[in-house]
Amino acid sequence: MRSQIKLGRIFGIQIGLHYSWFVIAFLIVISLGSLFRHDNPEWSRALVAALALSAALLFFVSLLLHELSHSVFARSRGLPVREITLFALGGVSQIEKNPTSARTEFWMAFVGPLTSAAIGIVFRILEGLAGSGTSPAGALFAWLGYINLALAGFNLIPGYPLDGGRILRAAIWWKTGEKERSTRIAARVGQVVGGIFIAFGILQAFGGAGIGGLWIAFIGWFLLQAAGESYVQSNLEDTLTGIKVGDIMSHDCTSIDEHMNIQTFVDDFLLRSANRCFLVMDHDQLAGMITAADIKKIERSRWPFSTVSDAMRHLEDMRTITPDTPVQTAIGILAHEDLNQLPVVNHGSVIGLFSRAQFLNFLRTRAELHA
């Protein structure tokens, strides 16, 4: 999940918000506003609003600290972390490599609930110092203490990809020594847990819980979907084990001269070929690459007066891979840099292209043969 709003960096990790996070922030403000006014009718509307907004912001900080604990631990074990995104159901740390041992997986998962529990205990202590729930600060700290302890408990549920599911995966991995099998088992358990949440939420909704029951069912649906995706991802990793870029890439690379007129390129090459990507050459040397998306950046009226070199992506700005690059690594590069294809270079010469389309065709063929 990618963030739409960038908030800056902490310890070199990009922090961002998904638009859906504002849903939970809005619900927190509305529900706490009603709760505080019901329990303390003598409090002014301004005070209640300030407390509700403060609770939403401090809950945001609590979630961020939870995810930072995962990310900081991952980086301490040499696992690169690209970004932390907070969304409606919590947060996600985008860790670019999988743990190499069950021990690392266990502690990387467990440190999140441990952090939330510690935050919850701190707020409960502050609640006591502020006079329990009888004061505005006490009421605020009481809710934050409760919600962080609840967050710690919820994340320990053994439903992958919750932290508890990852702890379960680490335990099975340690016991069996089989990483992929442990992922599949934990994902199946996660699907069962998601189904239980959905059933319980629906029963609660019809039993009079209303929105609360539907919210539980929605969380269950999210767990069911995420666990299913994790199961598919595990099977995909099995499929791609040992597969190199050279096994899938296209060897038929259409090359064009960088001085070619854009209008000529579009009429004689782009529109007359199924290819969407072309290598741009300068005296038999690779100069860059050009796609239909690059052409669209040039105004159509300028096509007759511009050359391919005006629109292409230059070699120094491009990522390249070798035929020995694992397919999983290549797909990760395409996803991370939002690319559709990568030139394959061997001993300084371009020998092919690796694209998303080729990868999908490979998976489709494997699936048909398996069926």
Side-chain angles (χ1 to χ4, degrees), residues 243-245 319 321-322 325-337 339 341-342 344 354-356 359:
I243 305 297
K244 306 293 185 182
V245 165
R319 285 292 301 268
I321 52 178
T322 69
T325 301
V327 166
Q328 287 175 277
T329 302
I331 288 298
I333 294 172
L334 290 176
H336 180 242
E337 304 193 13
L339 301 172
Q341 55 275 311
L342 288 166
V344 183
F354 176 79
S355 68
R356 293 175 187 259
F359 175 66

Side-chain angles (χ1 to χ4, degrees), residues 235-254:
N235 287 334
L236 180 60
E237 289 178 359
D238 279 351
T239 299
L240 298 181
T241 300
I243 305 297
K244 306 293 185 182
V245 165
D247 301 323
I248 299 179
M249 72 179 191
S250 168
H251 295 272
D252 183 18
C253 300
T254 303

Side-chain angles (χ1 to χ4, degrees), residues 117-361:
I119 294 171
I121 292 171
V122 169
F123 277 123
R124 293 308 299 266
I125 293 172
L126 291 175
E127 174 196 353
L129 295 175
S132 191
T134 58
S135 68
L140 174 63
F141 294 147
W143 183 83
L144 288 167
Y146 164 78
I147 200 67
N148 277 284
L149 290 173
L151 181 65
F154 174 75
N155 272 281
L156 286 174
I157 294 173
Y160 199 82
L162 291 176
D163 294 335
R166 293 185 179 277
I167 292 171
L168 174 64
R169 173 180 181 245
I172 299 172
W173 183 3
W174 174 78
K175 184 69 175 177
T176 65
E178 299 180 40
K179 180 180 177 181
E180 286 73 22
R181 181 187 174 196
S182 66
T183 302
R184 287 194 291 270
I185 294 174
R188 284 302 191 199
V189 173
Q191 288 179 308
V192 171
V193 170
I196 292 173
F197 267 70
I198 292 173
F200 180 73
I202 292 174
L203 288 174
Q204 288 288 99
F206 282 107
I211 296 298
L214 292 177
W215 186 249
I216 293 173
F218 177 70
I219 292 174
W221 174 83
F222 170 78
L223 288 176
L224 190 66
Q225 293 293 112
E229 290 175 5
S230 299
Y231 187 85
V232 171
Q233 178 67 26
S234 177
N235 287 334
L236 180 60
E237 289 178 359
D238 279 351
T239 299
L240 298 181
T241 300
I243 305 297
K244 306 293 185 182
V245 165
D247 301 323
I248 299 179
M249 72 179 191
S250 168
H251 295 272
D252 183 18
C253 300
T254 303
S255 302
I256 59 173
D257 187 88
E258 68 171 352
H259 302 294
M260 180 181 294
N261 178 275
I262 286 182
Q263 188 68 61
T264 302
F265 165 64
V266 171
D267 293 340
D268 296 348
F269 289 86
L270 194 58
L271 296 180
R272 292 177 179 268
S273 168
N275 294 341
R276 293 182 57 81
C277 178
F278 296 82
L279 299 177
V280 182
M281 311 299 291
D282 179 22
H283 299 96
D284 298 325
Q285 295 293 320
L286 178 66
M289 187 169 64
I290 191 166
T291 67
D294 299 318
I295 293 295
K296 289 168 63 177
K297 296 176 183 178
I298 304 294
E299 292 183 16
R300 186 178 293 269
S301 60
R302 293 176 50 201
W303 288 3
F305 314 104
S306 303
T307 63
V308 167
S309 62
D310 296 325
M312 73 178 188
R313 277 172 281 170
H314 293 269
L315 181 61
E316 57 268 22
D317 300 325
M318 291 168 47
R319 285 292 301 268
T320 60
I321 52 178
T322 69
D324 293 327
T325 301
V327 166
Q328 287 175 277
T329 302
I331 288 298
I333 294 172
L334 290 176
H336 180 242
E337 304 193 13
D338 196 22
L339 301 172
N340 286 313
Q341 55 275 311
L342 288 166
V344 183
V345 178
N346 190 32
H347 302 301
S349 300
V350 179
I351 62 171
L353 281 173
F354 176 79
S355 68
R356 293 175 187 259
Q358 290 158 355
F359 175 66
L360 292 175
N361 286 335

Side-chain angles (χ1 to χ4, degrees), residues 97-129:
K97 290 184 179 179
N98 290 320
T100 55
S101 70
R103 181 185 180 89
T104 299
E105 171 79 346
F106 173 85
W107 284 108
M108 191 168 71
F110 186 65
V111 72
L114 191 63
T115 299
S116 292
I119 294 171
I121 292 171
V122 169
F123 277 123
R124 293 308 299 266
I125 293 172
L126 291 175
E127 174 196 353
L129 295 175

